[in-house]
Amino acid sequence: MKSFIFLSFLLFTCQMQAQFLIKGKVIDNETHQPLERAAVTLTRDSSSTVYKYALTDPKGCFSFSVSEDAAWTVHITYLGYQKKSQPAQKGKEMIFQLKPEAISLKEVKIKGGRIYGRQDTVKYDLSRFTSGKEQNIKEALKKLPGIDVNEQSGEIRYNGKAISQFTVEGMDISGGRYNQITENLKADAVESAEVIEHFQPIRSLRNKMPSDKVALNLTLKSEVRSRWLLTLQATGGYGDQMLYNGKLNALQLARERQGIYLYKADHTGKDLSTELQQLTTDNQNFLTSTDVPTFIDQPTFSFPLEKQRLMDNTTHLVSVNRLYRKNEEQQSRFTFHYLYDEQHRNQGSQEIYYYSTDTIHIAQEQDYSLYTHRTQATYNYERNGARSFFRNQLEAHGAWNRSLETLHGNRELIQRLHTTSLQLTNQMNLLSTREHATSGFRSFFRYTYQPTTLQFAQVNQSLGLQQAYMDNQGYYQWKKNGMTFGITGGIQGEWLLLHQTANFSSPQFKLYTIPMWMWKRNAFRLTISADAAYLRKTNPQYTDLRINPTASLRWQFGPRWELITRAQFQQKNEEVTAYYPYSYWQNYRSIVSFSPHIPKLQDQLYSFYLTYKRTVHEFFWSLSGSYWNRKNQQLVHSEYQDNIFILTTCEVPNRNRSYSLTSLLSKGFYNWNLKTSLETQFLHSEGKQAGQGSIQNYRYTQFTLTPKINWALLSWFSVTYLASFTCNRSLIGEGNSLPVLWDIRQRIHLEIGNSTYQVRLSGEHYYNQLDKNHHQHVWLADAEASYIKDKWRFSINLCNLFNQKEYRYTTYSTIQQYTSWIKMRPREILVSVQHQL
C-alpha cells in the first residue's frame, strides 16, 4: 500500500513538473509605460510555427502555460516599435523594452498609413480621418473605410458583417446598446478605433474555440481617459407649435470604471428610443431562446424618410450605466433605462389586394396617437479568467403602451389598444478549461406577463398571456489528434397560460443532445453538429422526435481572403399564435380563427460569406448570399367580408423560398481624403398565398444599389453623398404582373468652415413610383450655422426649408399593393446652446 502511494506521488510530482509558466511584461523603452494589446507569439525550437498567441493586457502583461520542456522563443510585435524576440525563461518574469521605430512611422505616414493591420486586428488612426468638426464619434466612424453605419438604426458593420461587441478601452459599458456611446461621445476624445476579427470574448477559449465574430473597440486619448465628459444642451424653436430639445450627458470611460448618465427631452421629432436598441448580436455564450408569442401588436409605420421629419412627439429619456472592473478578470455592470414617448401622426393608405377571383380596394385615413412608458434594469456580473469563465445577468423589463386611432374612409370608428409587458429574465454561463478539455453549464429562465385590451365599436376584448420558460444544459468538449469533439445535453420547458373568454394552457418540455465534431488544420476549419430532440406537448397532444444537422466551413486562403459557409436542416413547430383554438380580434379589421392543429415546418438554410481586404490600400470587399426553403402543410387563408379580414388556416402542402445576394465594396483614398463605398443587394422570394377561396403563387424581387461618398476636398470644405436606388417587382398568380416600381433617394451634405465657424447644408431628393402612371418628387433642405468658442457651441437650424407637407410611398407585399401617405413636419427654426466640459 505504501509503495502504491509513493508511486502515485511520484507520478503526480512528474505531472506537476511537466507544466511550465512563461510570463512577461512589455513596456516602452523610453517612458517605461506598459504597452497594451502588443502581439505576443510563442514558437518552439527553431520552427517558425506559432504555438500560442496572445495580446498583452492593460498592464502590458502576458502569460503562457506549456507542457513540454523545449526551447521556447517569445516574439513581441507592436505597431510603431521594433520587433523583439528572446528565449523564454520559465518561471521568471521577462521584461521586453521596445524601442520606437522611426522608419516604420515615417513609412506609415507617407504610404497611407491611416489603417494598420496586425494579425486579426485592424486599427484606424482617427486623427487621419477626422477634421475636428464632427459632433460625435458616430460621424467619425462613417468616414472609416470598411466600416458602415446605418443611417436609421445606427448599427455598425465591418466589411458587411455586423459587429458583435462594442467596447471602450476594452470594456462593454452599454451592454450592446452602443448608440448611447456613438451618439454622445465626442469624436475628439477618441484616439483610435480597433476592429478585432475572429473575436472570442471568453479568455479561456481564445486558444481553444475559434470564433467568427467581429468586435469594435475605441481607445481614448490619455488626457480624457479618467475624466468626466459633461455635455449640456438646450434648444428652443418654432414651426407650427413651440419646440424644445435638451440633454445632459455625463460620461466617464476609464479603464477601471466607466459610467454613462443621460437625460434627454425632445419635442422636435427625434426618435430617442434608438438609444435603447440592442444592436450587438453576441451573447457571450449565453443560451438564446425563442421570442415571447405576441397576439396583438401596436400599429407601426415604415417610410424611407427619417422619423424626425414625420413624428409629432414628446419624449423623455433617463439612462444610467455603471461598470466596475475589480481586477483584470472580474467586472460588474448595472444599467437602468426609462423612456416616456408620446407620438402623434396623421397618415393614410390605399391598399389593393389581388385575388384570383376579385380585386379589393381599401382607402382610409388615420389620426394616430401612441403613449409609451418603458423601463429596464439589468445587473451583470462577469469573471473572465484564463482558466474559467462565469457570467450571470439578471434583467427586469416593463413596457406600457396605450394608443388611440381615429379611422376615416371605408369605416368610421375609434380604436383603443392597451398592451403591457412585464418580464423577468436570468441568464447564466459557467465554464472551465483544462489543457485539452472544456466543460460548462448554461441556464436561461424567463417569466413574462402580457395583458392586452382592445376596444372599438361594440368590441371590448381582453387577452392575458403568462409564460414561464427555462432551458438548462451542460456541455463537454475535448481535443484529440488535432480534432475537437463535443457533447451537449439539456432540458427545455415551457408553461404558457392564455386567458380570453376561457383559459388555455399549453405546457411543453424538450430533451435534447447536440454532438459536435470540428477539424481544424492551419487556415481550414470544418464543423459538423446535430441537434437531436424529443418534444412533448400536452395541449394539444403532440409528440415529436427530430434531428437537425448543421455543417459549417471556414477557409482562410491567404492573408487577405476568407470564406465562411454554412448549411442547416431544421424541423420546428409554429408558436402558439398559429394554433390557438379560440377566435380573437387582432385589430378593428382582422379577426383570427386558426385551426388547433400544430403546424410543422421543415427549413433548409444555406449561406456563405466571402471577404477580401487590403488594409494598407484601404480596400475592403465582401460578398454574402443565402438560400432559404421552407416546407409547410398549412396556409393562412384570408377572406374579406363586410370590411373585415377573416384569417383561417387550410391544409395545403406548400413551399416558400427566398434568395439573397449582397456585395459591399469600400475603398479609401488617403491622398484625396476620400472614402467611397458601394453596396449591391438582390432579394427574391416566392411561395403561395390563399385568399377569397383560391390559392395562387406569388413572386417578389427587389434590387438595391447604395453608393456612398465622403470627401474632404479642403480643410474647410467637405461633402457627403448618399444614395439608394431600389427596383421592386411582383408577380401574382399566372399572369398578374404588377408594374416595376423605382424608388430613389439621394442626399448630399456640405460642411463649410473651421474650428470656430461652421455651416452645414443638407439636401434630399426622393423619387417614388406610386403606380404605373403616377410618381412623385420630394425635395427637402436643411441648414445649420454654428459658432464655437472654447467649450461653447451656439447653433441655429432651419429645417424643411421648402416646407414640404406630405410624403407618399408604395410597397409590394405578397398579393398586396400598399400606397401610404403621411403628414410631414412643417418648416421649423431651432436655436441651440451647448456647453462641454
Side-chain angles (χ1 to χ4, degrees):
M1 183 65 181
K2 293 181 179 180
S3 300
F4 175 75
I5 295 175
F6 180 72
L7 181 60
S8 300
F9 176 76
L10 286 178
L11 292 174
F12 176 76
T13 304
C14 293
Q15 184 179 7
M16 291 297 293
Q17 290 177 347
Q19 297 293 326
F20 301 98
L21 183 66
I22 299 174
K23 61 182 180 179
K25 187 174 184 179
V26 183
I27 61 176
D28 185 285
N29 182 60
E30 298 177 359
T31 65
H32 296 283
Q33 294 296 315
L35 297 179
E36 181 186 3
R37 303 193 70 82
V40 186
T41 56
L42 188 66
T43 61
R44 180 169 51 188
D45 301 322
S46 60
S47 173
S48 61
T49 302
V50 175
Y51 181 77
K52 285 193 175 183
Y53 168 80
L55 297 176
T56 56
D57 61 21
K59 295 182 179 179
C61 298
F62 67 89
S63 65
F64 296 117
S65 178
V66 295
S67 59
E68 299 181 32
D69 188 8
W72 301 102
T73 303
V74 179
H75 309 270
I76 309 293
T77 56
Y78 195 75
L79 186 66
Y81 290 83
Q82 296 179 5
K83 181 179 179 180
K84 193 167 186 178
S85 304
Q86 69 182 54
Q89 301 176 15
K90 307 178 184 67
K92 181 181 178 181
E93 185 177 47
M94 307 169 64
I95 303 298
F96 290 84
Q97 299 186 29
L98 301 189
K99 297 180 180 180
E101 190 172 25
I103 296 177
S104 297
L105 291 176
K106 182 179 179 181
E107 181 183 0
V108 167
K109 183 176 181 180
I110 295 176
K111 198 176 179 179
R114 302 187 296 177
I115 307 177
Y116 322 128
R118 185 184 69 239
Q119 298 290 338
D120 288 332
T121 302
V122 178
K123 187 173 182 178
Y124 298 83
D125 182 357
L126 291 188
S127 64
R128 308 280 185 92
F129 290 95
T130 56
S131 61
K133 299 189 287 290
E134 295 79 11
Q135 296 189 24
N136 52 43
I137 190 61
K138 182 178 180 179
E139 293 185 4
L141 292 175
K142 292 179 181 179
K143 299 181 178 181
L144 306 184
I147 291 181
D148 181 71
V149 182
N150 187 283
E151 294 289 331
Q152 298 287 344
S153 66
E155 181 189 45
I156 301 173
R157 294 184 300 163
Y158 167 73
N159 214 0
K161 181 185 292 186
I163 65 170
S164 61
Q165 191 171 51
F166 185 100
T167 59
V168 180
E169 296 292 335
M171 300 171 66
D172 183 10
I173 175 65
S174 67
R177 298 174 178 86
Y178 55 76
N179 269 340
Q180 293 197 347
I181 299 174
T182 57
E183 294 279 357
N184 302 294
L185 179 61
K186 298 186 298 180
D188 58 8
V190 181
E191 183 178 86
S192 63
E194 295 175 317
V195 174
I196 302 99
E197 300 180 82
H198 308 113
F199 176 70
Q200 173 57 264
I202 301 176
R203 290 184 183 178
S204 57
L205 296 181
R206 285 177 182 171
N207 295 322
K208 297 179 178 293
M209 185 56 60
S211 171
D212 294 322
K213 295 180 172 62
V214 177
L216 176 64
N217 179 63
L218 301 181
T219 302
L220 302 181
K221 295 179 179 178
S222 57
E223 60 268 23
V224 302
R225 189 169 291 158
S226 299
R227 284 180 46 202
W228 280 97
L229 306 176
L230 304 178
T231 303
L232 176 65
Q233 178 179 312
T235 303
Y238 187 79
D240 56 359
Q241 58 182 323
M242 294 300 298
L243 306 173
Y244 63 84
N245 175 284
K247 68 178 181 180
L248 175 60
N249 303 339
L251 285 75
Q252 183 190 36
L253 302 172
R255 288 179 174 175
E256 292 77 24
R257 61 183 62 189
Q258 297 186 354
I260 301 177
Y261 301 88
L262 306 177
Y263 170 72
K264 295 188 176 184
D266 187 80
H267 188 50
T268 65
K270 189 172 183 180
D271 185 11
L272 299 182
S273 65
T274 58
E275 297 196 24
L276 300 184
Q277 291 182 8
Q278 189 81 30
L279 295 175
T280 59
T281 57
D282 181 40
N283 55 25
Q284 284 202 308
N285 221 18
F286 276 155
L287 285 172
T288 56
S289 66
T290 57
D291 295 330
V292 179
T294 303
F295 286 80
I296 301 175
D297 285 319
Q298 293 287 350
T300 58
F301 72 106
S302 177
F303 287 88
L305 277 74
E306 295 179 356
K307 287 186 177 181
Q308 190 166 356
R309 298 192 181 276
L310 308 174
M311 292 198 310
D312 178 10
N313 73 318
T314 301
T315 309
H316 297 271
L317 171 66
V318 178
S319 181
V320 177
N321 301 262
R322 195 65 184 167
L323 187 150
Y324 296 92
R325 175 183 282 176
K326 298 181 180 179
N327 50 50
E328 292 303 317
E329 296 184 355
Q330 299 184 65
Q331 66 178 31
S332 57
R333 180 179 66 236
F334 170 77
T335 62
F336 173 79
H337 314 292
Y338 170 74
L339 175 74
Y340 171 76
D341 190 24
E342 178 183 333
Q343 298 181 19
H344 302 279
R345 301 194 300 267
N346 177 244
Q347 62 189 64
S349 63
Q350 295 178 340
E351 304 171 44
I352 304 176
Y353 294 86
Y354 298 95
Y355 296 109
S356 60
T357 58
D358 193 10
T359 300
I360 298 173
H361 296 259
I362 300 175
Q364 58 190 20
E365 181 181 342
Q366 301 160 300
D367 291 314
Y368 179 72
S369 300
L370 174 65
Y371 306 86
T372 298
H373 295 268
R374 189 192 309 174
T375 183
Q376 184 176 27
T378 305
Y379 177 74
N380 181 92
Y381 172 77
E382 180 180 304
R383 186 179 68 248
N384 196 351
R387 290 296 184 90
S388 64
F389 175 82
F390 173 78
R391 186 183 180 202
N392 193 85
Q393 180 169 294
L394 178 65
E395 182 175 272
H397 178 271
W400 298 264
N401 302 283
R402 176 172 58 90
S403 65
L404 178 67
E405 189 171 358
T406 303
L407 187 71
H408 309 282
N410 288 41
R411 301 180 67 183
E412 302 282 338
L413 57 83
I414 298 176
Q415 174 181 283
R416 294 177 173 87
L417 176 60
H418 299 256
T419 58
T420 303
S421 176
L422 302 174
Q423 187 168 290
L424 181 66
T425 303
N426 190 78
Q427 296 171 279
M428 189 268 287
N429 181 25
L430 171 66
L431 68 86
S432 62
T433 61
R434 288 175 287 178
E435 186 67 24
H436 299 289
T438 300
S439 59
F441 176 77
R442 302 186 187 101
S443 175
F444 179 91
F445 173 79
R446 178 182 65 210
Y447 173 76
T448 304
Y449 175 57
Q450 288 184 346
T452 303
T453 302
L454 177 65
Q455 297 175 329
F456 63 90
Q458 304 301 317
V459 175
N460 189 348
Q461 174 186 277
S462 295
L463 182 65
L465 181 147
Q466 294 186 70
Q467 184 203 47
Y469 176 90
M470 68 90 181
D471 191 357
N472 297 287
Q473 68 173 219
Y475 57 94
Y476 182 76
Q477 295 177 358
W478 68 98
K479 288 186 176 181
K480 187 176 181 180
N481 299 328
M483 293 181 288
T484 302
F485 303 88
I487 185 69
T488 300
I491 181 171
Q492 189 181 98
E494 178 186 19
W495 174 80
L496 188 142
L497 176 65
L498 285 162
H499 176 77
Q500 188 188 354
T501 55
N503 288 333
F504 173 76
S505 63
S506 180
Q508 72 171 35
F509 75 92
K510 183 172 76 171
L511 298 173
Y512 61 92
T513 181
I514 308 174
M516 184 273 294
W517 172 78
M518 182 175 65
W519 179 56
K520 184 177 183 297
R521 185 172 182 179
N522 298 327
F524 184 88
R525 184 178 77 237
L526 175 64
T527 305
I528 298 176
S529 64
D531 181 354
Y534 170 80
L535 177 67
R536 173 66 177 170
K537 291 178 179 287
T538 58
N539 187 23
Q541 294 289 334
Y542 181 82
T543 303
D544 191 15
L545 182 64
R546 59 186 64 166
I547 299 178
N548 299 324
T550 302
S552 63
L553 170 67
R554 175 186 173 267
W555 184 22
Q556 188 169 359
F557 46 103
R560 302 187 181 111
W561 290 90
E562 182 180 18
L563 173 66
I564 300 174
T565 62
R566 181 182 176 89
Q568 183 178 14
F569 176 79
Q570 191 175 47
Q571 301 180 73
K572 59 183 181 179
N573 300 112
E574 288 274 28
E575 62 183 26
V576 67
T577 53
Y579 59 87
Y580 180 57
Y582 302 106
S583 300
Y584 65 95
W585 291 87
Q586 281 187 325
N587 48 52
Y588 61 87
R589 65 173 190 171
S590 300
I591 186 170
V592 177
S593 184
F594 286 163
S595 165
H597 177 69
I598 298 178
K600 186 175 181 179
L601 309 176
Q602 292 183 359
D603 290 347
Q604 297 179 50
L605 300 98
Y606 306 92
S607 64
F608 75 91
Y609 172 74
L610 176 65
T611 179
Y612 174 82
K613 65 178 181 181
R614 296 195 68 180
T615 55
V616 174
H617 296 275
E618 302 186 5
F619 183 86
F620 300 84
W621 176 74
S622 67
L623 179 68
S624 59
S626 66
Y627 169 73
W628 171 76
N629 187 346
R630 166 167 290 182
K631 182 180 179 181
N632 193 2
Q633 300 298 321
Q634 288 187 358
L635 273 179
V636 176
H637 179 270
S638 63
E639 188 80 19
Y640 189 70
Q641 298 178 1
D642 301 326
N643 297 320
I644 295 174
F645 286 96
I646 303 174
L647 305 180
T648 58
T649 51
C650 55
E651 298 292 326
V652 178
N654 64 93
R655 287 182 180 270
N656 294 302
R657 299 181 180 89
S658 66
Y659 315 81
S660 70
L661 189 65
T662 302
S663 173
L664 180 59
L665 175 66
S666 180
K667 178 70 174 74
F669 300 88
Y670 174 59
N671 294 332
W672 296 353
N673 289 322
L674 172 66
K675 174 198 171 180
T676 62
S677 69
L678 178 64
E679 182 173 5
T680 307
Q681 186 178 61
F682 173 80
L683 301 173
H684 176 81
S685 62
E686 57 185 59
K688 294 181 181 295
Q689 187 78 16
Q692 298 297 102
S694 64
I695 299 174
Q696 53 187 349
N697 298 320
Y698 71 87
R699 293 182 180 179
Y700 173 74
T701 304
Q702 182 184 79
F703 178 77
T704 303
L705 198 66
T706 308
K708 296 181 182 179
I709 298 175
N710 194 301
W711 194 2
L713 293 167
L714 301 168
S715 61
W716 53 270
F717 179 72
S718 63
V719 57
T720 301
Y721 174 76
L722 166 68
S724 176
F725 305 90
T726 304
C727 177
N728 302 275
R729 184 174 182 179
S730 185
L731 177 64
I732 301 172
E734 296 301 324
N736 192 3
S737 179
L738 302 186
V740 174
L741 296 181
W742 276 96
D743 296 311
I744 300 175
R745 176 196 179 189
Q746 299 182 85
R747 180 179 182 181
I748 188 168
H749 179 84
L750 304 178
E751 190 172 296
I752 307 169
N754 51 31
S755 58
T756 304
Y757 300 96
Q758 296 178 14
V759 175
R760 296 187 173 196
L761 303 174
S762 298
E764 292 183 69
H765 168 241
Y766 293 86
Y767 169 82
N768 301 102
Q769 282 189 268
L770 304 178
D771 53 41
K772 184 178 181 180
N773 302 313
H774 299 87
H775 65 272
Q776 71 164 5
H777 290 275
V778 176
W779 300 88
L780 302 170
D782 304 314
E784 177 186 0
S786 300
Y787 170 72
I788 299 96
K789 178 65 175 177
D790 297 328
K791 298 183 181 299
W792 292 90
R793 184 186 187 96
F794 303 90
S795 303
I796 181 170
N797 294 71
L798 299 175
C799 307
N800 194 5
L801 291 174
F802 301 142
N803 202 24
Q804 296 283 353
K805 303 291 187 180
E806 181 184 285
Y807 181 77
R808 290 181 178 268
Y809 184 60
T810 296
T811 58
Y812 291 149
S813 175
T814 59
I815 61 171
Q816 178 189 12
Q817 179 178 328
Y818 189 94
T819 301
S820 54
W821 62 265
I822 190 168
K823 179 183 176 182
M824 298 179 60
R825 297 179 67 92
R827 182 187 296 120
E828 297 171 343
I829 182 171
L830 298 170
V831 179
S832 174
V833 179
Q834 178 179 287
H835 183 61
Q836 292 182 331
L837 295 176

